[in-house]
Amino acid sequence: GPALLFVKTSQGKEEGRRFYACSACRDRKDCNFFQWEDEKVSEARLAAREEYNRSQQPCFTHRQNVDRYKNFVLLPLSKRRFCQECQQLLLPAEWKKHSDHQLLCDITTAQLKNPSQLLYPLENKKTNAQYLFTDRSCQFLLNLLIDLGFRRVLSVGTPRLHEMIQSKASQEKEFNVRGLLLDIDFRYSQFYTEDEFCHYNMFNHHFFGGEAARETCRKFLCEENGERVIMVTDPPFGGLVEALASSFKKLMAMWSETEKEGHDNREMPVFWIFPYFFESRILDFFPSFSMMDYQVDYDRFALYKHGKTGRRQSPVRIFTNLTPSMIVLPEEEGYRFCSVCQRYVSSGNQHCEICNSCTSKDGRRWKHCVLCKKCVKPSWFHCNNCKCCTLQQHSCEKTDSGCFVCGKAGHKRSACPSLSRS
């Protein structure tokens, strides 16, 4: 889809040279697209670029994949095969072409209902970072959404939550939640229809299926018969918050356009799942959001595992524009309700009478620093030279250059007033 516009800055210079680069891949090895904003591109180069783009397209369209799936499920178990190298469901006529590949045989209906466990996770941190929710987190999220009264879930980059919704809907007659998955991983088109999955880039709000896919999303967001909609998104943690916020605001605007009279300028309900240390960046773009203490954990990722004590805990949290008191967290997992803050917090997150808030971000009990006038991590100490709390073992040396962009002191590059927020 469309590239993003970046700026290459130099130390102490306010002006930088602007360039276009891939919105999804932040490693030139994955996508080498680069173009200066003021660069004139020759016809030959444009033609070569178009040819390269065509060569990178999937073997089958979404419609063809849907038809192939219908034929695949009609096959007896002994003839259901999946190519692990090509990450593709195979029909008998295609076996010969994949004869020297690693194949999975006897693909069951249960495996087809849980494609995230059949497909290899795309784990390139700079491109996909496809880490998937554990069953614990997934089940908690779904139960919470149901308890809050939501009957439609727009899953943006949360394939495991979507498949749990789809699986329950096909097995339980009384289950009345519907889902739509927006994801950049086109492999899911093998398992879901056009009404269940849209190939989507959350960094530039691009629907690869064009206007038809955009209309599918718009129709899904229409709240009919009291079926409330919520967006649940789990972006790659290395992604630009600015780009993500821009796309999410466009999805929220799409929801607003579908709303009938009387919505009182409400925002579309959102669960943005992201590490707690991005809190200030998220709140810059969504002041109505607040961070919940619930630890979201992931399969096959030791750093993102749930833990009740110590530092080895998942740093991933839920940011939402829903009223915090509505988000009930499980007491058996170590959460309690703070009557002053009117929200559920981690058991180690003690209320600070001076800050008048439960201030911990990482699950440990934080301590109040009178000089900093705020609570800080328990391992931090106040440094009179730095005039702030920091780790005991640190360097007090400060560079005179200040901000990397403008050279002035008092702020970092990300907060430099010289940079355009557009």
Side-chain angles (χ1 to χ4, degrees):
L4 291 182
L5 183 62
F6 297 87
V7 61
K8 191 182 287 290
T9 56
S10 300
Q11 179 78 39
K13 294 183 179 180
E14 293 189 18
E15 293 297 323
R17 192 174 181 189
R18 289 145 70 99
F19 65 94
Y20 290 99
C22 181
S23 61
C25 303
R26 292 172 297 286
D27 192 326
R28 294 281 170 78
K29 294 177 183 177
D30 297 314
C31 178
N32 62 6
F33 178 85
F34 181 94
Q35 181 181 314
W36 293 110
E37 184 187 26
D38 54 2
E39 181 182 3
K40 291 184 179 180
V41 183
S42 67
E43 291 294 328
R45 191 172 159 197
L46 284 173
R49 190 180 289 169
E50 287 296 321
E51 178 58 35
Y52 176 79
N53 286 346
R54 277 193 294 271
S55 72
Q56 299 300 306
Q57 297 307 305
C59 298
F60 302 102
T61 65
H62 194 166
R63 169 44 48 191
Q64 288 172 327
N65 274 337
V66 171
D67 291 337
R68 286 167 53 80
Y69 182 85
K70 290 177 181 176
N71 292 327
F72 188 88
V73 295
L74 295 175
L75 295 171
L77 195 64
S78 60
K79 292 190 176 183
R80 292 184 184 180
R81 297 185 183 180
F82 177 78
C83 179
Q84 289 184 296
E85 291 184 39
C86 301
Q87 293 286 281
Q88 184 180 313
L89 296 173
L90 300 180
L91 298 174
E94 300 160 347
W95 290 357
K96 188 175 182 180
K97 192 189 298 184
H98 299 260
S99 59
D100 57 343
H101 292 180
Q102 190 74 33
L103 304 180
L104 282 178
C105 302
D106 303 337
I107 303 299
T108 65
T109 301
Q111 287 175 297
L112 294 174
K113 296 293 182 184
N114 295 278
S116 70
Q117 297 181 27
L118 190 63
L119 300 168
Y120 284 139
L122 302 174
E123 295 183 350
N124 184 328
K125 293 180 182 178
K126 293 186 177 181
T127 308
N128 305 96
Q130 199 175 52
Y131 302 118
L132 304 169
F133 296 147
T134 58
D135 285 341
R136 164 195 166 266
S137 288
C138 212
Q139 192 63 63
F140 165 76
L141 284 169
L142 183 54
N143 290 343
L144 178 60
L145 297 176
I146 293 172
D147 291 343
L148 290 171
F150 294 106
R151 294 296 174 263
R152 298 191 194 189
V153 181
L154 181 67
S155 298
V156 184
T158 57
R160 186 154 286 179
L161 177 63
H162 179 70
E163 73 182 31
M164 183 175 280
I165 292 171
Q166 297 301 109
S167 181
K168 284 182 176 290
S170 65
Q171 295 171 15
E172 303 173 17
K173 289 184 178 180
E174 296 181 358
F175 188 79
N176 58 351
V177 178
R178 292 200 293 133
L180 174 64
L181 175 63
L182 306 185
D183 203 290
I184 200 167
D185 189 351
F186 189 68
R187 297 177 302 171
Y188 285 104
S189 68
Q190 298 179 86
F191 306 91
Y192 300 124
T193 67
E194 291 101 323
D195 292 331
E196 298 167 338
F197 167 76
C198 293
H199 192 199
Y200 175 78
N201 182 352
M202 70 174 80
F203 289 104
N204 59 6
H205 188 58
H206 179 67
F207 287 87
F208 293 88
E211 195 54 42
R214 185 183 296 273
E215 182 62 16
T216 295
C217 183
R218 192 195 68 78
K219 284 183 178 179
F220 183 83
L221 293 176
C222 289
E223 295 192 349
E224 298 173 345
N225 304 319
E227 292 186 336
R228 296 174 62 208
V229 177
I230 186 170
M231 179 175 80
V232 182
T233 181
D234 180 36
F237 300 154
L240 284 171
V241 174
E242 293 91 333
L244 293 168
S246 175
S247 294
F248 297 159
K249 285 183 177 181
K250 288 173 182 175
L251 287 171
M252 294 165 81
M254 191 184 291
W255 172 84
S256 297
E257 291 167 5
T258 66
E259 275 285 86
K260 306 292 190 297
E261 294 180 7
H263 59 75
D264 300 324
N265 296 317
R266 291 185 292 116
E267 286 183 333
M268 177 172 72
V270 175
F271 277 1
W272 181 343
I273 296 164
F274 226 48
Y276 69 79
F277 38 81
F278 284 101
E279 181 182 21
S280 61
R281 303 293 294 130
I282 291 176
L283 297 186
D284 280 346
F285 296 97
F286 296 102
S288 62
F289 280 32
S290 55
M291 187 180 79
M292 302 295 99
D293 272 21
Y294 184 80
Q295 294 178 28
V296 180
D297 57 346
Y298 296 79
D299 272 344
R300 289 176 272 185
F301 205 130
L303 294 177
Y304 296 151
K305 288 291 184 185
H306 170 64
K308 294 182 181 179
T309 59
R311 294 201 61 184
R312 293 193 65 81
Q313 304 177 77
S314 172
V316 186
R317 303 289 185 266
I318 300 171
F319 294 87
T320 182
N321 50 4
L322 297 177
T323 306
S325 60
M326 298 169 60
I327 313 298
V328 180
L329 304 185
E331 294 182 5
E332 64 274 13
E333 292 187 15
Y335 300 99
R336 62 177 181 82
F337 187 77
C338 176
S339 57
V340 182
C341 295
Q342 284 293 294
R343 69 182 182 97
Y344 278 83
V345 297
S346 173
S347 56
N349 189 358
Q350 297 299 308
H351 191 86
C352 175
E353 299 295 340
I354 303 172
C355 296
N356 194 29
S357 173
C358 291
T359 52
S360 172
K361 307 295 183 185
D362 60 9
R364 296 178 293 167
R365 182 170 185 169
W366 285 21
K367 61 184 182 182
H368 190 85
C369 176
V370 178
L371 296 174
C372 288
K373 297 181 180 178
K374 65 178 182 179
C375 286
V376 297
K377 294 179 179 180
S379 56
W380 286 15
F381 296 87
H382 194 85
C383 175
N384 291 324
N385 292 332
C386 297
K387 292 183 172 55
C388 67
C389 283
T390 184
L391 289 169
Q392 197 163 21
Q393 302 297 325
H394 74 283
S395 174
C396 292
E397 297 174 5
K398 291 189 175 181
T399 59
D400 297 327
S401 56
C403 172
F404 180 81
V405 176
C406 67
K408 297 176 182 177
H411 63 268
K412 295 180 180 180
R413 182 199 66 79
S414 59
C416 182
S418 300
L419 291 178
S420 170
R421 295 303 289 271
S422 62

